[in-house]
Amino acid sequence: MELNNHLRDFSRASLQFFKNLGMSADTAEVVNALVLLVLAVSVTYIIYYVVRRILRLLMLQTIRKTDIQFFKFLLEHKAPHYLSLIAPLIVLYITIPIVFHDYPQIHKLLLGLCDIYLVLVVIWVVMAIIKAGGDLLKERPGFRGKPIDSYLQVIRILLYLFGTVVLFSNLTGKSPVAFFTAMGAISAVLLLMFKDTIMGFVASIQVTTNDIVRIGDWITMPKYGADGDILEINLTTVKVQNFDKTITTIPTYSLISDSFQNWRGMRQSGGRRIKRAINIKQSSIRFLKDEELPQFEQIQLISSYIQHRQKDIERHNLRTNADKSLLINGRNLTNAGLFRKYIDSYISSHSGTNKNMNIMVRQLAPTAQGLPIEVYVFANTIVWAEYEHIMADIFDHLIAAAPYFGLQIYEAEGVGDLKSVQMRSAENS
């Protein structure tokens, strides 16, 4: 109160000063208002600058001494800046009635603008605190991968809605009930406008509750061309960084309504599946004669298997009195069967396979492209480059090993010639 009296005395004194200079009453009032306005703006900026510097220094000192992450995040989200805006607003509330004492319409307009700005400043301060709290939660192990940004967006919408209600009430002089009554009349339009936001909010809750995806998960969603890691989940979109470093955005609700593949289980297991087949030319598959077995026994990985298996076969053939003048009679070893056993032993002893997960070699149904022998095993790494190296190493060896069993890898006839023709055509063009 005393400060206001001093300011009014200063305003009257300055007005009298300009009148003493020979100005008319109207001119003196205008010049006095302009001078006081410049002084008020200058003082307001100085106060804002000083308060902001003080708050920033206090926060930096607090961070250095306590190492509390929350203050660090407050600084990153400009909390000192938003808090410092309150001080100049107080100055404006005090000075505007004095500067524009003779201009009530301008006086009322500027105070109304200050009211609007004050509501925005309060929202900014609260949002900075909430964002800092959100970043702090993201650092906690229990909240990593959760769509915190979605909930922050909901809070932001609610805060702006609250601010809108306050401004409506202040500017119109009506109660907030009138605002909500007007909102109810256009609720259908609002539901249509915020359909994606509402659906995204529902999807975010379902995603979190059911633990469908987390930030950092690798997902594959061919419908949207997404194949990479989730960077961000918010109310309306999910950002996915593909492996070619491009960014794909997909609607949040699609995580509930559409099908996608989440590779989190693979990453958590520590192994990535290898599922690939070699097509054997069926005409190269045959029975093995007894005199050929010593040659195959030299292959160390299946030497003991051949000896054990051949004894079982001989006992069976003797018991059934099989006529071995023809190989088809009784039981016999085949080169394809030995090759399958060799593959099984090889991948079981390979340093790049996970011995705690499924290891299987199986024969698939014959096709026009040969007899597929499929390797089903898991690499002991989830790193993409290492996985590809392990898989290539295994199949390089198996393709090179097939001739030792008298087997041929199927290749379509004329493929090599066709490729040569295509290469020559490309060179000529």
Side-chain angles (χ1 to χ4, degrees):
M1 190 66 181
E2 186 176 350
L3 177 61
N4 287 340
N5 293 332
H6 288 306
L7 290 175
R8 288 192 180 91
D9 292 339
F10 178 78
S11 176
R12 285 193 291 268
S14 61
L15 177 61
Q16 187 60 43
F17 171 77
F18 291 120
K19 288 180 178 179
N20 293 337
L21 291 178
M23 297 181 182
S24 64
D26 293 338
T27 304
E29 288 178 359
V30 172
V31 173
N32 184 55
L34 291 175
V35 171
L36 291 178
L37 179 62
V38 171
L39 289 176
V41 171
S42 301
V43 171
T44 300
Y45 179 77
I46 292 171
I47 290 176
Y48 158 73
Y49 179 79
V50 172
V51 172
R52 188 186 66 174
R53 291 287 296 175
I54 292 173
L55 289 175
R56 184 177 176 81
L57 289 173
L58 287 175
M59 199 160 287
L60 287 172
Q61 290 295 326
T62 304
I63 293 171
R64 292 193 190 100
K65 292 180 179 180
T66 62
D67 197 28
I68 298 175
Q69 292 294 314
F70 181 68
F71 291 106
K72 176 185 175 183
F73 293 132
L74 281 176
L75 192 62
E76 290 179 357
H77 291 291
K78 301 181 180 179
H81 166 71
Y82 295 132
L83 284 170
S84 60
L85 292 175
I86 297 176
L89 271 174
I90 296 173
V91 175
L92 290 176
Y93 274 117
I94 295 173
T95 56
I96 285 176
I98 297 171
V99 174
F100 297 99
H101 179 267
D102 298 320
Y103 305 94
Q105 292 183 341
I106 298 177
H107 168 199
K108 184 178 180 180
L109 174 63
L110 291 178
L111 286 181
L113 293 175
C114 286
D115 289 339
I116 295 174
Y117 196 64
L118 178 61
V119 172
L120 293 176
V121 168
V122 171
I123 292 174
W124 293 337
V125 171
V126 175
M127 278 308 305
I129 295 172
I130 292 174
K131 286 180 180 178
D135 288 345
L136 187 64
L137 288 177
K138 291 177 185 178
E139 298 290 324
R140 303 286 178 88
F143 290 91
R144 286 178 184 171
K146 303 296 183 181
I148 302 296
D149 291 332
S150 295
Y151 301 117
L152 293 181
Q153 284 184 320
V154 173
I155 295 173
R156 186 183 298 121
I157 291 172
L158 293 176
L159 281 174
Y160 280 116
L161 178 61
F162 172 78
T164 303
V165 173
V166 172
L167 290 177
F168 175 84
S169 180
N170 287 342
L171 295 177
T172 63
K174 297 180 180 179
S175 68
V177 176
F179 175 82
F180 288 109
T181 302
M183 292 286 287
I186 58 171
S187 58
V189 177
L190 291 175
L191 287 174
L192 183 62
M193 291 174 57
F194 294 101
K195 182 189 70 172
D196 292 338
T197 302
I198 295 170
M199 293 174 64
F201 176 60
V202 173
S204 297
I205 295 175
Q206 291 180 317
V207 164
T208 304
T209 304
N210 300 318
D211 198 21
I212 297 175
V213 294
R214 303 173 187 168
I215 294 173
D217 281 357
W218 168 17
I219 67 169
T220 301
M221 207 167 188
K223 178 179 179 180
Y224 295 97
D227 185 16
D229 297 329
I230 294 179
L231 296 179
E232 180 183 320
I233 302 175
N234 55 44
L235 278 182
T236 54
T237 58
V238 176
K239 288 185 180 179
V240 178
Q241 184 178 53
N242 301 311
F243 292 118
D244 59 0
K245 299 305 179 184
T246 59
I247 303 294
T248 298
T249 58
I250 60 179
T252 304
Y253 190 72
S254 64
L255 297 177
I256 305 298
S257 60
D258 296 332
S259 175
F260 67 95
Q261 189 172 16
N262 190 338
W263 296 82
R264 187 202 310 164
M266 180 271 292
R267 286 180 167 176
Q268 291 177 343
S269 69
R272 185 172 176 182
R273 187 184 68 177
I274 298 173
K275 185 175 180 289
R276 180 179 290 183
I278 296 177
N279 289 339
I280 302 297
K281 194 172 183 179
Q282 298 178 62
S283 60
S284 66
I285 300 174
R286 61 183 178 84
F287 293 120
L288 296 177
K289 299 178 181 179
D290 290 341
E291 55 268 25
E292 292 180 288
L293 295 180
Q295 177 185 350
F296 287 99
E297 288 179 7
Q298 295 178 19
I299 303 175
Q300 295 178 346
L301 286 177
I302 57 173
S303 176
S304 60
Y305 169 78
I306 293 174
Q307 296 171 5
H308 174 74
R309 186 65 175 159
Q310 186 59 20
K311 289 179 182 178
D312 290 341
I313 291 174
E314 289 175 353
R315 283 196 295 267
H316 173 80
N317 290 338
L318 184 62
R319 186 172 63 253
T320 59
N321 195 24
D323 181 8
K324 296 305 295 176
S325 61
L326 288 176
L327 284 176
I328 194 173
N329 293 326
R331 295 170 64 179
N332 299 278
L333 289 171
T334 64
N335 56 350
L338 287 184
F339 187 51
R340 288 201 319 273
K341 182 59 182 178
Y342 176 79
I343 295 174
D344 185 77
S345 300
Y346 178 74
I347 61 178
S348 297
S349 60
H350 195 284
S351 61
T353 59
N354 192 321
K355 311 305 185 293
N356 298 319
M357 304 180 77
N358 288 341
I359 295 178
M360 180 172 60
V361 180
R362 60 177 182 167
Q363 185 184 103
L364 304 181
T367 68
Q369 287 75 39
L371 178 68
I373 297 180
E374 185 182 77
V375 174
Y376 191 99
V377 68
F378 288 81
N380 60 4
T381 180
I382 60 172
V383 179
W384 192 2
E386 295 176 4
Y387 161 79
E388 293 289 347
H389 173 76
I390 291 170
M391 183 165 57
D393 182 67
I394 289 174
F395 281 89
D396 285 349
H397 182 90
L398 298 183
I399 292 171
Y404 286 85
F405 294 85
L407 296 170
Q408 298 178 26
I409 306 298
Y410 175 85
E411 289 183 353
E413 295 181 2
V415 171
D417 297 336
L418 178 61
K419 288 183 177 179
S420 299
V421 172
Q422 290 174 340
M423 290 177 64
R424 286 195 296 269
S425 299
E427 290 174 358
N428 293 333
S429 61

